[in-house]
Amino acid sequence: VAVNKMDLRDWSEEVFKAIRDELAAFTSKLGFRSVDYLPISAKRGDNVVQPSKAMSWYRGPTVLSLLETIPLTE
């Protein structure tokens, strides 16, 4: 789950965590094995291809690096 528009929320870790927690409560009922949450600003490219300097608190993958690690099945 890409949480976009983080630039409009001043790159706030607390805002991201609140959104992530709300979505996690919903997705936990759907039976997915795992769900990743990434804070991004697509307009600026933050955490899309390169790690964001504005969100130094985020240590996870970028959108591209996460997509490159998803196992493919037939």
Side-chain angles (χ1 to χ4, degrees):
V1 175
V3 178
N4 196 14
K5 305 289 186 187
M6 291 300 299
D7 54 314
L8 298 180
R9 301 304 296 198
D10 296 322
W11 317 104
S12 172
E13 180 178 11
E14 291 76 24
V15 169
F16 170 72
K17 286 181 176 180
I19 293 168
R20 179 199 63 199
D21 293 347
E22 185 175 339
L23 289 170
F26 172 74
T27 58
S28 67
K29 300 172 188 172
L30 300 176
F32 295 121
R33 283 183 279 198
S34 69
V35 178
D36 294 294
Y37 300 89
L38 296 83
I40 70 167
S41 172
K43 182 177 182 179
R44 294 181 35 146
D46 288 78
N47 287 334
V48 176
V49 176
Q50 298 293 325
S52 173
K53 291 183 171 105
M55 292 180 274
S56 58
W57 47 265
Y58 177 71
R59 301 278 187 233
T62 64
V63 173
L64 181 61
S65 63
L66 178 64
L67 290 174
E68 290 175 334
T69 63
I70 295 174
L72 300 177
T73 59
E74 293 183 34

